[in-house]
Amino acid sequence: QQQVKQSPQSLIVQKGGISIINCAYENTAFDYFPWYQQFPGKGPALLIAIRPDVSEKKEGRFTISFNKSAKQFSLHIMDSQPGDSATYFCAASNGGTASKLTFGTGTRLQVTL
Amino acid sequence: GAGVSQSPSNKVTEKGKDVELRCDPISGHTALYWYRQSLGQGLEFLIYFQGNSAPDKSGLPSDRFSAERTGGSVSTLTIQRTQQEDSAVYLCASSPLPGSSYEQYFGPGTRLTVT
């Protein structure tokens, strides 16, 4: 049972453009929604995260938008750069003391010159 | 400081053999997680350790999979009688404390290929 659905599977954006990746979840007990960035041969690294008590969080060029009623959240990368080319995973957990993450299937982003 | 380390980085084994994958978490981190990343798939939770508590094994796909954590630090994931569908990247993560307030730091993974 896939509890976090992610789209698109791959994305090509020109340098300077906006990259948008979407996720939808089913489990209403989820209360923590991180995005991870993964480069080839490396483990995922936390990029930005949000809790459902806010609708948006911005850190530099990265913004999470969160829609609790629709059970959807998205990552926006402004002014996309070639160095942003990586695979991005959304995830969710229901906190507490066992914060195992449920991941989406990933989006491979390529930023072209 | 040093991050999460995993060994070996790559492992090729024949179907039916047993394998052991090792994870060294960040020093002082009490929570340790194992995930599996299959080609084209997201990361799949396998098992979680927190201190001396009983591990959460709810993600282990079969009884061929087991894991232990010795002395609250190093962890070993063992796969017995490996099958081709076990081929994947196995990722270990640790966090300072349990709970979603604490970032999970991932190691580089062990790429397992079962031939």
Side-chain angles (χ1 to χ4, degrees), chain A residues 6-98:
Chain A
Q6 183 171 348
S7 62
Q9 186 174 14
S10 62
L11 182 62
I12 300 175
V13 174
Q14 280 194 329
K15 179 182 176 181
I18 302 173
S19 304
I20 302 174
I21 305 170
N22 300 298
C23 284
Y25 63 97
E26 300 169 4
N27 187 346
T28 55
F30 287 147
D31 64 356
Y32 175 68
F33 302 89
W35 284 89
Y36 280 80
Q37 179 187 57
Q38 184 178 31
F39 294 102
K42 304 291 187 181
L46 180 66
L47 189 62
I48 186 173
I50 197 169
R51 295 191 183 277
D53 53 346
V54 297
S55 60
E56 185 175 282
K57 183 174 182 180
K58 182 176 181 179
E59 291 184 2
R61 296 184 294 109
F62 301 92
T63 300
I64 299 179
S65 297
F66 185 83
N67 186 330
K68 187 174 181 178
S69 61
K71 294 187 287 185
Q72 295 175 346
F73 59 110
S74 61
L75 175 69
H76 291 64
I77 306 175
M78 312 300 289
D79 186 26
S80 299
Q81 299 297 312
D84 297 331
S85 297
T87 299
Y88 293 80
F89 293 94
C90 61
S93 75
N94 61 357
T97 58

Coordinates of all heavy atoms in Angstrom, one line a residue, chain A residues 6-98:
Chain A
Q6 N 3.9 10.4 -5.4 CA 4.7 11.5 -5.8 C 4.7 11.6 -7.3 O 4.7 10.6 -8.0 CB 6.2 11.3 -5.3 CG 7.1 12.4 -5.7 CD 8.5 12.3 -5.0 OE1 8.7 11.4 -4.1 NE2 9.4 13.1 -5.4
S7 N 4.7 12.9 -7.8 CA 4.7 13.1 -9.3 C 5.4 14.4 -9.5 O 5.3 15.3 -8.7 CB 3.3 13.1 -9.8 OG 2.5 14.1 -9.3
P8 N 6.0 14.6 -10.7 CA 6.2 13.6 -11.7 C 7.3 12.7 -11.4 O 8.1 12.9 -10.4 CB 6.5 14.5 -13.0 CG 7.3 15.6 -12.4 CD 6.6 15.9 -11.1
Q9 N 7.5 11.7 -12.2 CA 8.6 10.7 -12.0 C 9.9 11.4 -12.4 O 11.0 11.1 -11.8 CB 8.4 9.5 -12.8 CG 9.4 8.4 -12.6 CD 9.0 7.1 -13.3 OE1 8.1 7.1 -14.2 NE2 9.6 6.0 -13.0
S10 N 9.9 12.2 -13.4 CA 11.1 12.9 -13.9 C 10.6 14.3 -14.4 O 9.5 14.5 -14.7 CB 11.8 12.2 -15.0 OG 11.0 12.0 -16.1
L11 N 11.6 15.2 -14.3 CA 11.3 16.6 -14.6 C 12.6 17.3 -15.2 O 13.7 17.1 -14.7 CB 10.9 17.3 -13.3 CG 10.5 18.8 -13.3 CD1 9.3 19.0 -14.2 CD2 10.2 19.3 -11.9
I12 N 12.4 18.0 -16.3 CA 13.5 18.7 -16.9 C 13.1 20.2 -16.9 O 12.0 20.6 -17.4 CB 13.7 18.3 -18.4 CG1 14.1 16.8 -18.4 CG2 14.8 19.1 -19.0 CD1 14.3 16.2 -19.8
V13 N 13.9 21.0 -16.3 CA 13.7 22.5 -16.2 C 14.9 23.2 -16.7 O 16.0 22.8 -16.4 CB 13.4 22.8 -14.7 CG1 13.3 24.3 -14.5 CG2 12.1 22.1 -14.2
Q14 N 14.6 24.3 -17.3 CA 15.8 25.2 -17.7 C 16.3 26.0 -16.5 O 15.5 26.3 -15.6 CB 15.3 26.2 -18.8 CG 15.2 25.5 -20.2 CD 15.1 26.6 -21.3 OE1 14.6 27.6 -21.1 NE2 15.7 26.2 -22.4
K15 N 17.6 26.3 -16.6 CA 18.2 27.1 -15.6 C 17.4 28.4 -15.4 O 17.1 29.1 -16.3 CB 19.6 27.4 -16.0 CG 20.4 28.3 -15.0 CD 21.8 28.6 -15.5 CE 22.5 29.5 -14.6 NZ 23.9 29.9 -15.0
G16 N 17.2 28.7 -14.1 CA 16.4 29.9 -13.8 C 14.9 29.7 -13.7 O 14.2 30.5 -13.2
G17 N 14.5 28.5 -14.1 CA 13.0 28.2 -14.0 C 12.6 27.7 -12.7 O 13.4 27.6 -11.7
I18 N 11.3 27.4 -12.6 CA 10.7 26.9 -11.3 C 10.5 25.4 -11.5 O 9.8 25.0 -12.4 CB 9.4 27.6 -11.0 CG1 9.7 29.1 -10.9 CG2 8.9 27.1 -9.7 CD1 8.4 29.9 -10.7
S19 N 11.0 24.6 -10.5 CA 10.7 23.2 -10.5 C 9.6 22.9 -9.5 O 9.7 23.5 -8.3 CB 12.0 22.4 -10.1 OG 13.1 22.7 -11.0
I20 N 8.6 22.1 -9.8 CA 7.5 21.8 -8.9 C 7.3 20.3 -8.9 O 7.1 19.7 -9.9 CB 6.2 22.5 -9.4 CG1 6.4 24.0 -9.4 CG2 5.1 22.2 -8.4 CD1 5.2 24.8 -10.0
I21 N 7.3 19.8 -7.7 CA 7.1 18.4 -7.4 C 6.0 18.2 -6.4 O 5.9 19.0 -5.4 CB 8.4 17.7 -6.9 CG1 9.6 18.0 -7.8 CG2 8.2 16.2 -6.7 CD1 10.9 17.6 -7.2
N22 N 5.1 17.3 -6.7 CA 3.9 17.2 -5.9 C 3.8 15.8 -5.2 O 4.2 14.8 -5.8 CB 2.6 17.3 -6.8 CG 2.6 18.7 -7.5 OD1 2.5 19.7 -6.9 ND2 2.7 18.7 -8.8
C23 N 3.2 15.9 -4.0 CA 3.0 14.6 -3.3 C 1.6 14.7 -2.7 O 1.1 15.7 -2.3 CB 4.0 14.4 -2.2 SG 5.6 13.9 -2.9
A24 N 1.0 13.5 -2.5 CA -0.3 13.3 -1.9 C -0.2 12.2 -0.9 O 0.5 11.2 -1.2 CB -1.4 13.0 -2.9
Y25 N -0.8 12.3 0.2 CA -0.8 11.3 1.2 C -2.2 10.8 1.6 O -3.2 11.5 1.3 CB 0.0 11.7 2.5 CG -0.6 12.9 3.2 CD1 -1.4 12.7 4.3 CD2 -0.4 14.2 2.8 CE1 -2.0 13.8 5.0 CE2 -1.0 15.3 3.4 CZ -1.7 15.1 4.5 OH -2.3 16.1 5.2
E26 N -2.2 9.7 2.2 CA -3.5 9.1 2.6 C -3.8 9.1 4.1 O -4.9 9.3 4.6 CB -3.6 7.7 2.1 CG -3.5 7.6 0.5 CD -3.4 6.2 0.0 OE1 -3.4 5.2 0.9 OE2 -3.2 6.0 -1.2
N27 N -2.7 8.9 4.9 CA -2.8 8.7 6.3 C -2.9 10.0 7.0 O -2.0 10.8 7.1 CB -1.6 7.9 6.8 CG -1.7 7.5 8.3 OD1 -2.5 8.0 9.0 ND2 -0.8 6.7 8.7
T28 N -4.1 10.3 7.6 CA -4.3 11.6 8.2 C -3.6 11.7 9.5 O -3.5 12.8 10.1 CB -5.8 11.8 8.4 OG1 -6.3 10.7 9.2 CG2 -6.6 11.9 7.1
A29 N -2.9 10.6 10.0 CA -2.1 10.7 11.2 C -0.8 11.3 11.0 O 0.0 11.6 11.9 CB -2.0 9.3 11.8
F30 N -0.4 11.4 9.7 CA 0.9 12.0 9.4 C 1.0 13.4 9.9 O 0.0 14.2 9.7 CB 1.2 12.0 7.9 CG 1.5 10.6 7.3 CD1 1.1 10.3 6.0 CD2 2.2 9.7 8.0 CE1 1.4 9.0 5.5 CE2 2.5 8.4 7.5 CZ 2.1 8.1 6.2
D31 N 2.1 13.8 10.5 CA 2.2 15.1 11.0 C 3.6 15.8 10.8 O 3.9 16.8 11.4 CB 1.9 15.2 12.5 CG 2.8 14.4 13.4 OD1 3.7 13.8 12.8 OD2 2.7 14.4 14.6
Y32 N 4.3 15.2 9.9 CA 5.6 15.7 9.6 C 6.0 15.3 8.2 O 5.8 14.1 7.8 CB 6.7 15.1 10.6 CG 8.1 15.5 10.3 CD1 8.6 16.8 10.5 CD2 9.0 14.5 9.9 CE1 9.9 17.1 10.2 CE2 10.3 14.8 9.6 CZ 10.8 16.1 9.8 OH 12.1 16.4 9.6
F33 N 6.3 16.3 7.4 CA 6.5 16.1 5.9 C 7.8 16.7 5.5 O 7.9 17.9 5.1 CB 5.3 16.8 5.2 CG 4.0 16.2 5.6 CD1 3.3 16.8 6.7 CD2 3.4 15.2 5.0 CE1 2.0 16.4 7.1 CE2 2.1 14.7 5.4 CZ 1.5 15.3 6.4
P34 N 8.8 15.9 5.4 CA 10.1 16.3 4.9 C 10.3 16.0 3.4 O 9.7 15.2 2.8 CB 11.1 15.5 5.7 CG 10.4 14.2 5.9 CD 8.9 14.5 6.0
W35 N 11.2 16.8 2.8 CA 11.7 16.5 1.5 C 13.2 16.2 1.6 O 14.0 16.9 2.3 CB 11.5 17.8 0.6 CG 10.1 17.9 0.2 CD1 9.1 18.6 0.8 CD2 9.5 17.4 -1.0 NE1 8.0 18.6 0.1 CE2 8.2 17.9 -1.0 CE3 10.0 16.6 -2.1 CZ2 7.3 17.5 -2.1 CZ3 9.1 16.3 -3.1 CH2 7.7 16.8 -3.1
Y36 N 13.6 15.2 0.9 CA 15.0 14.8 0.8 C 15.6 14.9 -0.6 O 14.8 14.7 -1.6 CB 15.2 13.3 1.3 CG 15.1 13.1 2.8 CD1 13.9 13.1 3.5 CD2 16.3 13.0 3.5 CE1 13.9 13.0 4.9 CE2 16.3 12.9 4.9 CZ 15.1 12.9 5.6 OH 15.1 12.7 6.9
Q37 N 16.8 15.3 -0.6 CA 17.5 15.4 -1.9 C 18.6 14.3 -1.9 O 19.3 14.1 -1.0 CB 18.2 16.8 -2.0 CG 19.0 17.1 -3.2 CD 19.7 18.4 -3.1 OE1 20.5 18.7 -2.1 NE2 19.4 19.4 -4.0
Q38 N 18.7 13.6 -3.1 CA 19.7 12.6 -3.2 C 20.5 12.7 -4.5 O 19.9 12.7 -5.6 CB 19.0 11.2 -3.1 CG 20.0 10.0 -3.1 CD 19.3 8.7 -3.0 OE1 18.2 8.5 -3.5 NE2 20.0 7.7 -2.4
F39 N 21.8 12.8 -4.3 CA 22.7 12.8 -5.5 C 23.2 11.3 -5.7 O 23.2 10.5 -4.8 CB 23.9 13.7 -5.2 CG 23.5 15.2 -5.2 CD1 23.4 15.8 -3.9 CD2 23.2 15.9 -6.3 CE1 23.0 17.1 -3.9 CE2 22.8 17.2 -6.3 CZ 22.7 17.8 -5.0
P40 N 23.6 11.0 -7.0 CA 24.0 9.6 -7.3 C 25.1 9.2 -6.4 O 26.1 9.9 -6.1 CB 24.5 9.8 -8.7 CG 23.7 10.9 -9.3 CD 23.5 11.9 -8.2
G41 N 24.9 8.0 -5.8 CA 26.0 7.4 -5.0 C 26.0 7.9 -3.6 O 26.8 7.5 -2.8
K42 N 25.0 8.7 -3.2 CA 25.0 9.3 -1.9 C 23.7 8.9 -1.2 O 22.7 8.6 -1.9 CB 25.1 10.8 -1.9 CG 26.3 11.4 -2.7 CD 27.6 11.1 -1.9 CE 28.8 11.8 -2.5 NZ 30.0 11.5 -1.8
G43 N 23.6 9.0 0.1 CA 22.4 8.8 0.8 C 21.5 10.1 0.7 O 22.1 11.2 0.4
P44 N 20.2 10.0 0.9 CA 19.4 11.2 0.9 C 19.8 12.1 2.0 O 20.3 11.7 3.1 CB 18.0 10.6 1.2 CG 18.1 9.2 0.9 CD 19.5 8.8 1.2
A45 N 19.6 13.4 1.8 CA 19.9 14.5 2.8 C 18.6 15.3 2.9 O 18.0 15.7 1.9 CB 21.1 15.3 2.4
L46 N 18.3 15.7 4.2 CA 17.1 16.5 4.4 C 17.3 17.9 3.8 O 18.3 18.5 4.0 CB 16.9 16.7 5.9 CG 15.7 17.5 6.3 CD1 14.4 16.8 5.9 CD2 15.7 17.8 7.8
L47 N 16.3 18.3 3.0 CA 16.3 19.6 2.4 C 15.5 20.6 3.1 O 15.9 21.7 3.5 CB 15.8 19.4 0.9 CG 15.8 20.5 0.0 CD1 17.3 20.9 -0.3 CD2 15.1 20.1 -1.3
I48 N 14.2 20.3 3.4 CA 13.3 21.1 4.1 C 12.1 20.3 4.6 O 11.9 19.2 4.0 CB 12.8 22.3 3.1 CG1 12.0 23.3 3.8 CG2 12.1 21.7 1.9 CD1 11.6 24.5 2.9
A49 N 11.5 20.7 5.6 CA 10.4 20.0 6.2 C 9.3 20.9 6.7 O 9.6 22.1 7.0 CB 10.9 19.0 7.3
I50 N 8.1 20.4 6.8 CA 7.0 21.2 7.2 C 6.0 20.4 8.1 O 6.0 19.1 8.0 CB 6.2 21.8 6.0 CG1 5.3 22.9 6.4 CG2 5.4 20.6 5.3 CD1 4.7 23.7 5.2
R51 N 5.3 21.0 9.0 CA 4.3 20.4 9.8 C 3.0 20.9 9.4 O 2.9 22.1 8.9 CB 4.5 20.7 11.3 CG 5.8 20.0 11.8 CD 6.0 20.0 13.3 NE 7.2 19.5 13.7 CZ 7.5 18.2 13.9 NH1 6.5 17.3 13.6 NH2 8.6 17.7 14.3
P52 N 1.9 20.2 9.6 CA 0.6 20.6 9.1 C -0.1 21.9 9.7 O -1.2 22.3 9.3 CB -0.3 19.4 9.3 CG 0.4 18.6 10.4 CD 1.8 18.9 10.3
D53 N 0.6 22.5 10.7 CA 0.0 23.7 11.3 C 0.3 24.9 10.5 O -0.2 26.0 10.8 CB 0.4 23.8 12.7 CG 1.9 23.8 12.9 OD1 2.6 23.4 12.0 OD2 2.4 24.1 14.0
V54 N 1.1 24.8 9.4 CA 1.4 25.9 8.6 C 1.2 25.5 7.1 O 1.2 24.3 6.8 CB 2.9 26.4 8.7 CG1 3.1 27.0 10.1 CG2 3.9 25.3 8.4
S55 N 0.9 26.5 6.3 CA 0.6 26.2 4.9 C 1.8 26.4 4.0 O 1.7 25.9 2.8 CB -0.6 27.1 4.4 OG -0.2 28.4 4.5
E56 N 2.8 27.0 4.4 CA 3.9 27.2 3.6 C 5.2 27.4 4.4 O 5.1 28.0 5.5 CB 3.7 28.5 2.7 CG 4.8 28.7 1.7 CD 4.5 29.9 0.8 OE1 3.7 29.7 -0.1 OE2 5.0 31.0 1.0
K57 N 6.3 26.9 3.9 CA 7.6 27.1 4.6 C 8.6 27.4 3.5 O 8.7 26.6 2.5 CB 8.0 25.9 5.4 CG 9.3 26.1 6.2 CD 9.6 25.0 7.1 CE 10.9 25.2 7.9 NZ 11.2 24.1 8.8
K58 N 9.4 28.4 3.7 CA 10.4 28.8 2.7 C 11.8 28.8 3.3 O 12.0 29.4 4.4 CB 10.1 30.2 2.1 CG 11.0 30.7 1.0 CD 10.5 32.0 0.5 CE 11.4 32.5 -0.7 NZ 10.9 33.8 -1.2
E59 N 12.7 28.2 2.6 CA 14.1 28.3 3.0 C 15.0 28.5 1.7 O 15.1 27.6 0.9 CB 14.6 27.0 3.7 CG 14.0 26.8 5.1 CD 14.5 25.5 5.8 OE1 15.4 24.9 5.2 OE2 14.0 25.3 6.9
G60 N 15.4 29.8 1.6 CA 16.2 30.1 0.4 C 15.3 30.0 -0.8 O 14.2 30.5 -0.9
R61 N 15.8 29.2 -1.8 CA 15.1 29.0 -3.0 C 14.1 27.9 -3.0 O 13.4 27.6 -3.9 CB 16.1 28.7 -4.1 CG 17.1 29.8 -4.5 CD 18.0 29.5 -5.6 NE 18.9 28.4 -5.4 CZ 18.8 27.2 -5.9 NH1 17.8 26.9 -6.8 NH2 19.7 26.3 -5.6
F62 N 14.0 27.2 -1.8 CA 13.1 26.0 -1.7 C 11.9 26.4 -0.8 O 12.0 27.0 0.3 CB 13.9 24.9 -1.0 CG 15.1 24.5 -1.8 CD1 16.3 25.0 -1.5 CD2 15.0 23.5 -2.8 CE1 17.4 24.6 -2.3 CE2 16.1 23.1 -3.5 CZ 17.3 23.7 -3.3
T63 N 10.7 26.0 -1.3 CA 9.5 26.3 -0.6 C 8.6 25.1 -0.6 O 8.5 24.4 -1.6 CB 8.7 27.4 -1.3 OG1 9.5 28.6 -1.3 CG2 7.4 27.7 -0.5
I64 N 8.0 24.8 0.6 CA 7.0 23.7 0.7 C 5.7 24.4 0.8 O 5.5 25.3 1.7 CB 7.2 22.8 1.9 CG1 8.5 22.1 1.8 CG2 6.1 21.8 1.9 CD1 8.8 21.2 3.1
S65 N 4.7 23.9 0.0 CA 3.3 24.4 0.1 C 2.5 23.2 0.6 O 2.7 22.1 0.1 CB 2.8 24.9 -1.2 OG 3.5 26.0 -1.7
F66 N 1.7 23.4 1.6 CA 1.0 22.3 2.3 C -0.5 22.6 2.3 O -1.0 23.7 2.7 CB 1.5 22.1 3.7 CG 0.9 20.9 4.4 CD1 1.4 19.7 4.2 CD2 -0.2 21.0 5.2 CE1 0.9 18.6 4.8 CE2 -0.7 19.9 5.9 CZ -0.2 18.7 5.6
N67 N -1.3 21.6 1.8 CA -2.8 21.7 1.8 C -3.4 20.6 2.6 O -3.5 19.5 2.1 CB -3.3 21.7 0.3 CG -4.8 22.0 0.2 OD1 -5.6 21.6 1.1 ND2 -5.2 22.6 -0.9
K68 N -3.7 20.9 3.8 CA -4.1 19.8 4.7 C -5.4 19.2 4.3 O -5.6 18.0 4.3 CB -4.2 20.3 6.2 CG -4.5 19.3 7.2 CD -4.5 19.9 8.6 CE -4.8 18.8 9.7 NZ -4.7 19.4 11.0
S69 N -6.4 20.0 3.8 CA -7.7 19.5 3.5 C -7.6 18.6 2.2 O -8.3 17.6 2.1 CB -8.7 20.6 3.2 OG -8.2 21.4 2.1
A70 N -6.7 18.9 1.3 CA -6.5 18.1 0.1 C -5.5 16.9 0.4 O -5.4 16.1 -0.5 CB -6.1 18.9 -1.0
K71 N -4.9 17.0 1.5 CA -3.8 16.0 1.8 C -2.8 16.0 0.7 O -2.4 14.9 0.2 CB -4.4 14.6 2.0 CG -5.3 14.5 3.3 CD -5.8 13.1 3.6 CE -6.8 12.6 2.6 NZ -7.4 11.3 3.0
Q72 N -2.3 17.2 0.4 CA -1.3 17.3 -0.6 C -0.2 18.3 -0.2 O -0.5 19.2 0.6 CB -1.9 17.8 -1.9 CG -2.9 16.8 -2.6 CD -3.5 17.4 -3.8 OE1 -3.5 18.6 -4.1 NE2 -4.2 16.6 -4.6
F73 N 1.0 18.1 -0.6 CA 2.1 19.0 -0.4 C 3.0 19.0 -1.6 O 3.1 18.0 -2.3 CB 2.8 18.8 0.9 CG 3.4 17.4 1.1 CD1 4.8 17.3 1.1 CD2 2.7 16.3 1.3 CE1 5.4 16.1 1.3 CE2 3.3 15.0 1.4 CZ 4.7 14.9 1.4
S74 N 3.7 20.1 -1.8 CA 4.5 20.3 -2.9 C 5.8 21.0 -2.6 O 5.9 21.8 -1.6 CB 3.8 21.0 -4.1 OG 3.4 22.3 -3.7
L75 N 6.8 20.7 -3.4 CA 8.1 21.4 -3.3 C 8.3 22.3 -4.5 O 8.1 21.8 -5.7 CB 9.3 20.4 -3.2 CG 10.7 20.9 -3.2 CD1 11.0 21.7 -1.9 CD2 11.7 19.8 -3.5
H76 N 8.6 23.5 -4.3 CA 8.9 24.5 -5.3 C 10.4 24.9 -5.2 O 10.8 25.3 -4.1 CB 8.1 25.7 -5.2 CG 6.6 25.5 -5.5 ND1 5.8 24.7 -4.7 CD2 5.8 26.0 -6.5 CE1 4.6 24.7 -5.2 NE2 4.6 25.5 -6.3
I77 N 11.1 24.8 -6.3 CA 12.5 25.2 -6.4 C 12.6 26.4 -7.3 O 12.4 26.3 -8.5 CB 13.5 24.1 -6.8 CG1 13.3 22.8 -6.0 CG2 14.9 24.6 -6.8 CD1 14.1 21.7 -6.5
M78 N 12.8 27.6 -6.7 CA 12.8 28.8 -7.5 C 14.2 28.9 -8.1 O 15.2 28.5 -7.5 CB 12.5 30.0 -6.6 CG 11.3 29.8 -5.8 SD 9.8 29.6 -6.8 CE 9.6 31.2 -7.5
D79 N 14.3 29.6 -9.3 CA 15.6 29.9 -9.9 C 16.5 28.6 -9.9 O 17.6 28.6 -9.4 CB 16.3 31.0 -9.1 CG 17.6 31.5 -9.8 OD1 17.7 31.4 -11.0 OD2 18.5 31.9 -9.1
S80 N 15.9 27.6 -10.5 CA 16.6 26.3 -10.5 C 18.0 26.4 -11.1 O 18.1 27.1 -12.2 CB 15.7 25.3 -11.2 OG 14.5 25.1 -10.6
Q81 N 18.9 25.7 -10.6 CA 20.3 25.7 -11.0 C 20.8 24.3 -11.4 O 20.2 23.3 -10.9 CB 21.2 26.2 -9.9 CG 20.9 27.6 -9.5 CD 21.1 28.6 -10.6 OE1 22.2 28.6 -11.3 NE2 20.1 29.5 -10.8
P82 N 21.7 24.2 -12.3 CA 22.2 22.8 -12.6 C 22.7 22.0 -11.4 O 22.5 20.8 -11.4 CB 23.4 23.1 -13.5 CG 23.1 24.5 -14.2 CD 22.4 25.2 -13.1
G83 N 23.1 22.6 -10.4 CA 23.5 21.9 -9.2 C 22.4 21.4 -8.4 O 22.6 20.6 -7.5
D84 N 21.1 21.7 -8.8 CA 19.9 21.2 -8.2 C 19.6 19.9 -8.8 O 18.7 19.2 -8.3 CB 18.8 22.1 -8.3 CG 19.0 23.5 -7.6 OD1 19.7 23.5 -6.6 OD2 18.4 24.5 -8.1
S85 N 20.2 19.5 -9.9 CA 19.9 18.2 -10.5 C 20.2 17.1 -9.6 O 21.3 16.8 -9.1 CB 20.8 18.1 -11.8 OG 20.4 19.1 -12.7
A86 N 19.2 16.3 -9.2 CA 19.2 15.3 -8.2 C 17.9 14.6 -8.2 O 17.0 15.0 -9.0 CB 19.5 15.9 -6.9
T87 N 17.8 13.6 -7.4 CA 16.5 13.0 -7.2 C 15.9 13.5 -5.8 O 16.6 13.6 -4.8 CB 16.6 11.4 -7.1 OG1 17.1 11.0 -8.3 CG2 15.2 10.8 -6.9
Y88 N 14.6 13.8 -5.9 CA 14.0 14.4 -4.7 C 12.9 13.5 -4.2 O 12.1 12.9 -5.0 CB 13.4 15.8 -5.1 CG 14.4 16.8 -5.4 CD1 15.0 16.9 -6.6 CD2 14.8 17.7 -4.4 CE1 16.0 17.8 -6.9 CE2 15.8 18.6 -4.6 CZ 16.4 18.7 -5.9 OH 17.4 19.6 -6.1
F89 N 12.9 13.2 -2.9 CA 11.9 12.4 -2.3 C 11.0 13.2 -1.3 O 11.6 13.8 -0.5 CB 12.5 11.2 -1.6 CG 13.2 10.2 -2.5 CD1 14.6 10.3 -2.7 CD2 12.5 9.2 -3.0 CE1 15.2 9.4 -3.5 CE2 13.2 8.2 -3.9 CZ 14.5 8.4 -4.1
C90 N 9.7 13.1 -1.4 CA 8.9 13.5 -0.3 C 8.7 12.4 0.6 O 8.9 11.2 0.3 CB 7.6 14.0 -0.8 SG 6.5 12.8 -1.7
A91 N 8.4 12.7 1.9 CA 8.2 11.7 2.9 C 7.2 12.2 3.9 O 6.8 13.4 3.9 CB 9.5 11.3 3.5
A92 N 6.8 11.3 4.8 CA 5.8 11.6 5.8 C 6.0 10.7 7.0 O 6.4 9.5 6.8 CB 4.4 11.6 5.3
S93 N 5.7 11.2 8.2 CA 5.8 10.3 9.3 C 4.7 10.8 10.3 O 4.2 11.9 10.2 CB 7.1 10.3 10.0 OG 7.3 11.5 10.7
N94 N 4.3 9.9 11.2 CA 3.3 10.3 12.2 C 3.9 10.6 13.6 O 3.3 10.4 14.6 CB 2.2 9.3 12.3 CG 2.7 7.9 12.7 OD1 3.9 7.7 12.9 ND2 1.8 7.0 12.9
G95 N 5.2 11.0 13.5 CA 5.8 11.5 14.7 C 5.8 10.6 15.9 O 6.0 9.4 15.7
G96 N 5.6 11.1 17.0 CA 5.7 10.2 18.2 C 7.1 9.8 18.4 O 8.0 10.5 18.0
T97 N 7.3 8.7 19.0 CA 8.7 8.2 19.3 C 9.2 7.3 18.2 O 10.3 6.8 18.3 CB 8.7 7.6 20.6 OG1 7.8 6.5 20.7 CG2 8.4 8.6 21.7
A98 N 8.4 7.0 17.2 CA 8.8 6.0 16.2 C 8.6 6.7 14.9 O 7.6 6.5 14.2 CB 8.0 4.7 16.2

